Amino acid sequence: MKSLGIVTPQSMHFAEPLPLQSGASLAGYTLVYETYGELNADRSNAVLVCHALNASHHVAGTYVDAHTGKKQIGWWDNMVGPGKPVDTDKFFVIGVNNLGSCFGSTGPMHTNPATGKPYGPDFPVVTVEDWVHAQARLADELGIKQFAAVMGGSLGGMQALSWSMMYPERIRHCVVIASTPKLSAQNIAFNDVARQAILTDPQFHGGDFYSHGVVPKNGLRVARMLGHITYLSDDDMAEKFGRDLREGKYQFGFGIDFEIESYLRYQGDKFSEYFDANTYLLITKALDYFDPAKEFGGDLTKALSETRAQFFVASFTTDWRFSPERSREIVQALVNNKRRVTYAEIDAPHGHDAFLLEDSRYMNAVRAYYERISNDLEVA
Amino acid sequence: MKSLGIVTPQSMHFAEPLPLQSGASLAGYTLVYETYGELNADRSNAVLVCHALNASHHVAGTYVDAHTGKKQIGWWDNMVGPGKPVDTDKFFVIGVNNLGSCFGSTGPMHTNPATGKPYGPDFPVVTVEDWVHAQARLADELGIKQFAAVMGGSLGGMQALSWSMMYPERIRHCVVIASTPKLSAQNIAFNDVARQAILTDPQFHGGDFYSHGVVPKNGLRVARMLGHITYLSDDDMAEKFGRDLREGKYQFGFGIDFEIESYLRYQGDKFSEYFDANTYLLITKALDYFDPAKEFGGDLTKALSETRAQFFVASFTTDWRFSPERSREIVQALVNNKRRVTYAEIDAPHGHDAFLLEDSRYMNAVRAYYERISNDLEVA
C-alpha cells in the first residue's frame, strides 16, 4: 500500500480567547495539526480525526518524534492514507492536537501569558466540548464549513459525537468507535486512582514540577500501567502473557517474576519518559466530565435530537473499558431520533485497544462506510 | 442471634524454624489466633478459617482493635457464631493470622532475631503452602489431627484448597469460596501495579521505612484504591455511586467531583493508616504464586488427585476478579477425580466482596453444607 511518507505538522495561532465550559477562558493559543490528501474545489471532502488519551495530531504517515528525534508512524496510519479505509486519495484528512496536550498545541508546559511562566496547574480544565469548539475555529480558518465526516475512537469518538450535537450543520457523517456516551463509576474510579498516583507523587509539586526541574515519573508510570490493563482484554492478556515467567521460575522477591509485569513496567517506564503529568490529569478529567445527556436529565435521546449527521458506530466484543453495551446506548438513542445509523459490533480479541489495531472485519466496515461517503461526494 | 461477645486472641510460639517454599526458612515465630466454640471430646469438630488479603484471625465476635483501641466485629461474624451458618454451638472454629501479616503473627515489622532489627524487606517471601504448613503446626499443638472443615474465601479459599492437597488425611471437608486455582495475567497485572505504587513511594525506603519513622502512605493508598475497584462489580458501583457528584456540579479541578472518588480515597486513606506496606507486598506475591497445577504441567485434575476431602465450592456471578468460571475449573477437576463436590453459583450483585456480605442464598447454602458436616459428626 502506498504511504503518505513524511508529513510536516502545521500550526495555527488563535489570538481570540476561547471561552471554556468551566467559565474560565484560554488566552491566545496555538493548535498544531497535520493534513493528508487534497481539499477538493467545493471543500466538501474534509475529514477531521480526533485523538484519544495519549495520541496526537500525528494520525498518518511518518513524522519525526520531538522527544526521541526518531521517525515514527502515525497512530492511525493503518486507517488513514492512500487506498486505506479513510482514503486520502479521496478525502482531505485533518489530524489536530487538542488543547492541554503535551504534543504541540497549547498545554500546561507552555508559557502562561499572564505570568510569563509555564501554566502548570493553572492551565484550565478543558472539556470535550471545549476541544470541539477549538477544532471548529480551526475549521473556520481552513475554510471548511462542513466536514464530510468527523471521526474518532474512544475519547476521540466522544469528540465526534459532540461535533454532531454542537455543530449539527457542519458534519455530514459522524464516526464513533469504541466509545461511550459517558464514563461509568468504574471508569471514573480507574481514572481517579491514576490521578491520585500522580497528584501524590512528591515530584509533582502541585503541578509546578517544571520549575523544580523534575518529573513525577513514578506517578505517571503507575497511571500508565493501570490504564494499560484497562485497554487490553483479560483473554488477550492471558493469550499473550498468561503466567509466563521471565526466568522460568519464581524469584521470591519483588523484581520481575511474570512476563506481564515486565511488559507493563516497560510500558509505564516508556510513557513516563515522554508524557506530561498535567496533561494526563487534564485528559482524564475531560473523559470523566463527558456526559452530553446530563443537561437533558440523563436522556441521551433528547441530547442527540438536534443532530443532523448520519452515524457509523463500532464497538469490540472484548472491550471492557467501553463495552459494546455502551455503543448500543448511542445507537438506540440515534434510532429513537430516526437518525440513519450503521452499527458494527466487531468480534475482536484485543479489548479497547482493538480500535487502533488491524482487523479485516473492522477495517472493511470502515472502508465500506467511507466508500458510501465518497460516492455521495461524487454524486454531489 | 446470639453473639460470641468479646473474644481474646491467643498466641503460640514455635521455636522450630519453618522451611519455606523459597528455600529460605523462618526462625522461631509466633502465630496469633482466636477460637470460638468448644472442641468436642474426640476432637472431630474443629473448623479452620483462613483469611484473605487484609483480614486476620479476628473472624467472629468482638475484639479490641490494636490500632484504634475501638471495639470491632470480626470480618466473618455473619458467617461464624452461635446459630450462624458455621455454628459455634456445634463446631470449634479457629481463626489464624498468617505469617507476614501485620496483625500479630510474625511479620516484617517484628524483630529479626538475626539482626535485632525489624525484618523489613528481609522478611522472606511466603506462599500459600507455607501458611498451610504453619497452620498445620498450630493444629498439631492444639491436638487437632483432622479438621471437620478448612474454609476460606478468595486467598483464604486457596489455603483451604492447599490443605486438601498437602494434608489430605487431615481435612474431611474443604470449603472454597470466591477463589481460583491460579491468578490470571490480568489479576497479576493489578497486583503488580499496586506493588509498584508502594515500591516507588520514596517513603518506602526499600522496605526499611520503620527505621526512618515513616510510612509509604501514598503508595499504600493507591494500592488499596485500585484493589477496591477489583473487589466491587461494575454494576454495583454504578448502582451505589453512578455519576453522583459530591457538590452537585463539576468542580473543574482535581479535588473530589464524584462520590466514587470520595469513597475510594476514603478507603485508601483509612487503609494506609493501619496496613503495613511490606505485608501488602508479601500477600500479593502469595496470591500471584499460588498455582498448585504448576508442578503437574498445568493439570489441575492431577494436582487434586491425592485429595480425600469432600468439597463445597461457591462463586458469585458478578465477581470479575475471580469469576465463576475459575471456580468451575476447580469443580471440574474435582469431578474428574470423582470427588464429592457441592457447587453453588450465587447470583449476587456485589462482585468479589460478596463472599463477605450477607446474602440469604449464599448463607443458606453454607449453612446447609455445615449441617451435613454436623450430622456426620453426630453419627460418628
Side-chain angles (χ1 to χ4, degrees):
Chain A
M1 219 171 273
K2 283 183 289 178
S3 165
L4 284 162
I6 294 265
V7 177
T8 305
Q10 303 168 63
S11 73
M12 193 172 289
H13 184 74
F14 297 82
E16 194 188 345
L18 186 76
L20 303 172
Q21 210 184 337
S22 64
S25 81
L26 194 62
Y29 59 93
T30 297
L31 292 180
V32 297
Y33 62 101
E34 288 183 357
T35 68
Y36 324 98
E38 299 289 331
L39 189 60
N40 61 8
D42 62 356
R43 297 168 181 262
S44 64
N45 70 335
V47 171
L48 178 68
V49 175
C50 305
H51 71 76
L53 204 148
N54 65 320
S56 69
H57 52 300
H58 302 301
V59 174
T62 305
Y63 65 98
V64 180
D65 185 83
H67 177 67
T68 62
K70 289 183 188 163
K71 281 189 191 173
Q72 298 277 354
I73 301 291
W75 57 270
W76 228 353
D77 188 71
N78 55 352
M79 180 68 86
V80 176
K84 293 182 181 174
V86 183
D87 189 346
T88 52
D89 289 338
K90 294 172 180 171
F91 293 101
F92 175 67
V93 180
I94 303 170
V96 59
N97 186 220
N98 285 325
L99 290 168
S101 172
C102 51
F103 295 122
S105 291
T106 302
M109 70 297 304
H110 292 130
T111 303
N112 180 351
T115 64
K117 293 178 184 169
Y119 277 104
D122 296 330
F123 195 88
V125 170
V126 284
T127 64
V128 167
E129 288 81 1
D130 293 331
W131 287 336
V132 169
H133 189 179
Q135 290 161 7
R137 284 191 176 177
L138 177 67
D140 292 341
E141 293 301 317
L142 296 175
I144 296 160
K145 290 198 176 134
Q146 188 186 60
F147 282 105
V150 178
M151 78 183 293
S154 191
L155 177 56
M158 295 176 183
Q159 294 162 59
L161 202 59
S162 280
W163 263 96
S164 77
M165 291 180 274
M166 290 172 66
Y167 301 103
E169 307 295 343
R170 299 191 69 173
I171 159 176
R172 289 201 302 283
H173 295 269
C174 180
V175 177
V176 180
I177 299 171
S179 195
T180 175
K182 59 173 187 265
L183 265 63
S184 69
Q186 190 189 68
N187 292 148
I188 294 169
F190 279 124
N191 278 346
D192 199 49
V193 175
R195 281 192 295 264
Q196 291 300 310
I198 292 169
L199 290 163
T200 63
D201 184 328
Q203 305 283 51
F204 181 66
H205 294 286
D208 196 27
F209 52 91
Y210 316 109
S211 71
H212 291 78
V214 294
V215 169
K217 276 195 185 177
N218 291 334
L220 265 170
R221 185 170 172 273
V222 164
R224 179 58 168 179
M225 289 177 72
L226 174 54
H228 213 90
I229 298 175
T230 70
Y231 306 150
L232 304 181
S233 75
D234 189 14
D235 283 352
D236 195 34
M237 234 185 220
E239 175 77 24
K240 274 187 191 141
F241 303 101
R243 293 179 55 87
D244 293 352
L245 293 166
R246 179 79 171 275
E247 308 286 345
K249 58 179 186 174
Y250 293 161
Q251 301 298 304
F252 294 101
F254 301 106
I256 290 174
D257 271 300
F258 296 93
E259 290 289 358
I260 182 65
E261 296 173 316
S262 170
Y263 173 77
L264 281 184
R265 293 185 201 180
Y266 173 77
Q267 294 293 338
D269 286 339
K270 208 173 62 168
F271 189 74
S272 71
E273 296 282 336
Y274 74 84
F275 208 83
D276 180 78
N278 285 312
T279 293
Y280 200 90
L281 298 176
L282 289 167
I283 295 191
T284 57
K285 265 297 172 193
L287 276 161
D288 290 1
Y289 282 174
F290 183 69
D291 183 9
K294 187 166 178 278
E295 58 177 300
F296 298 91
D299 187 336
L300 188 62
T301 299
K302 275 189 193 154
L304 289 165
S305 66
E306 299 297 320
T307 61
R308 291 291 168 264
Q310 295 179 36
F311 290 81
F312 175 88
V313 179
S315 68
F316 301 92
T317 50
T318 57
D319 183 352
W320 63 280
R321 180 175 167 82
F322 299 151
S323 71
E325 195 183 345
R326 325 285 283 275
S327 283
R328 280 187 238 122
E329 286 174 43
I330 298 171
V331 171
Q332 185 60 55
L334 290 168
V335 168
N336 292 346
N337 281 303
K338 300 190 167 45
R339 292 289 161 276
R340 192 167 167 185
V341 48
T342 302
Y343 176 53
E345 194 166 304
I346 314 283
D347 183 12
H350 301 298
H352 188 60
D353 263 359
F355 87 86
L356 296 166
L357 302 175
E358 201 58 42
D359 178 298
S360 57
R361 285 163 301 183
Y362 164 44
M363 290 290 163
N364 287 341
V366 177
R367 178 184 295 276
Y369 193 78
Y370 271 88
E371 278 171 2
R372 208 179 91 198
I373 304 178
S374 159
N375 291 340
D376 289 348
L377 277 183
E378 284 157 24
V379 172
Chain B
M1 218 171 272
K2 284 183 289 177
S3 165
L4 284 162
I6 293 266
V7 178
T8 305
Q10 304 168 62
S11 73
M12 193 172 287
H13 184 74
F14 297 82
E16 194 188 346
L18 186 76
L20 303 172
Q21 210 184 337
S22 64
S25 81
L26 193 63
Y29 59 94
T30 297
L31 292 180
V32 297
Y33 62 100
E34 288 182 357
T35 68
Y36 323 97
E38 299 290 331
L39 189 60
N40 61 8
D42 62 356
R43 298 167 180 262
S44 64
N45 71 334
V47 171
L48 178 67
V49 175
C50 305
H51 70 76
L53 203 149
N54 65 320
S56 68
H57 51 300
H58 302 303
V59 174
T62 305
Y63 65 98
V64 179
D65 184 84
H67 177 68
T68 62
K70 288 183 189 164
K71 280 190 191 173
Q72 298 277 354
I73 301 291
W75 58 269
W76 228 354
D77 188 71
N78 55 351
M79 180 69 87
V80 176
K84 294 182 181 174
V86 183
D87 189 346
T88 52
D89 289 338
K90 295 173 179 170
F91 294 101
F92 174 68
V93 180
I94 304 170
V96 59
N97 187 219
N98 285 325
L99 291 169
S101 171
C102 50
F103 295 122
S105 291
T106 301
M109 70 298 303
H110 293 130
T111 303
N112 179 351
T115 64
K117 291 178 185 170
Y119 277 104
D122 296 330
F123 194 88
V125 170
V126 283
T127 64
V128 167
E129 288 80 1
D130 293 331
W131 286 336
V132 169
H133 189 180
Q135 290 161 6
R137 284 192 177 177
L138 177 67
D140 292 341
E141 293 301 317
L142 296 175
I144 296 160
K145 290 199 175 132
Q146 188 186 58
F147 282 105
V150 178
M151 77 183 293
S154 191
L155 177 57
M158 295 175 183
Q159 294 162 59
L161 202 59
S162 280
W163 263 96
S164 77
M165 291 179 275
M166 290 172 65
Y167 301 103
E169 307 295 344
R170 298 191 69 173
I171 159 177
R172 290 201 302 285
H173 295 269
C174 180
V175 177
V176 180
I177 300 171
S179 195
T180 176
K182 60 174 187 259
L183 266 63
S184 69
Q186 190 189 69
N187 292 148
I188 295 169
F190 279 123
N191 278 346
D192 199 49
V193 175
R195 281 192 295 264
Q196 291 300 310
I198 291 169
L199 290 163
T200 62
D201 184 328
Q203 305 283 51
F204 182 66
H205 294 286
D208 196 27
F209 52 91
Y210 315 110
S211 71
H212 291 78
V214 294
V215 168
K217 277 195 184 179
N218 292 334
L220 265 170
R221 185 170 172 272
V222 164
R224 180 58 168 179
M225 289 176 73
L226 174 54
H228 213 89
I229 298 175
T230 71
Y231 307 149
L232 304 181
S233 75
D234 189 14
D235 283 353
D236 195 34
M237 235 187 220
E239 176 76 24
K240 275 188 190 141
F241 304 101
R243 293 180 54 88
D244 292 353
L245 293 165
R246 180 80 170 275
E247 308 287 344
K249 58 178 186 174
Y250 293 161
Q251 301 298 303
F252 295 100
F254 301 107
I256 290 173
D257 272 300
F258 296 93
E259 290 289 358
I260 182 64
E261 296 174 317
S262 170
Y263 173 76
L264 280 183
R265 293 186 201 179
Y266 173 77
Q267 294 293 338
D269 286 340
K270 207 172 64 169
F271 189 74
S272 72
E273 296 283 336
Y274 74 84
F275 209 82
D276 179 78
N278 285 313
T279 292
Y280 201 90
L281 297 176
L282 289 167
I283 295 190
T284 57
K285 266 296 171 193
L287 277 162
D288 289 1
Y289 283 173
F290 183 68
D291 184 8
K294 185 166 178 278
E295 58 176 303
F296 298 91
D299 187 336
L300 188 62
T301 300
K302 275 189 193 155
L304 289 165
S305 66
E306 299 297 320
T307 61
R308 291 290 168 266
Q310 296 180 35
F311 291 80
F312 175 89
V313 179
S315 68
F316 301 92
T317 50
T318 57
D319 183 352
W320 62 281
R321 179 176 169 82
F322 300 150
S323 71
E325 195 183 346
R326 325 284 283 275
S327 284
R328 279 188 238 123
E329 286 174 44
I330 298 172
V331 171
Q332 185 61 55
L334 290 168
V335 168
N336 293 345
N337 281 303
K338 300 190 168 46
R339 291 291 161 275
R340 192 167 169 185
V341 49
T342 302
Y343 177 53
E345 194 166 305
I346 314 284
D347 184 11
H350 301 299
H352 188 60
D353 263 0
F355 87 87
L356 295 166
L357 302 175
E358 201 57 43
D359 178 298
S360 58
R361 285 162 301 183
Y362 164 45
M363 291 291 163
N364 287 342
V366 177
R367 179 184 294 276
Y369 193 79
Y370 271 88
E371 278 170 3
R372 208 179 92 197
I373 304 179
S374 160
N375 291 342
D376 289 348
L377 277 182
E378 285 157 24
V379 171

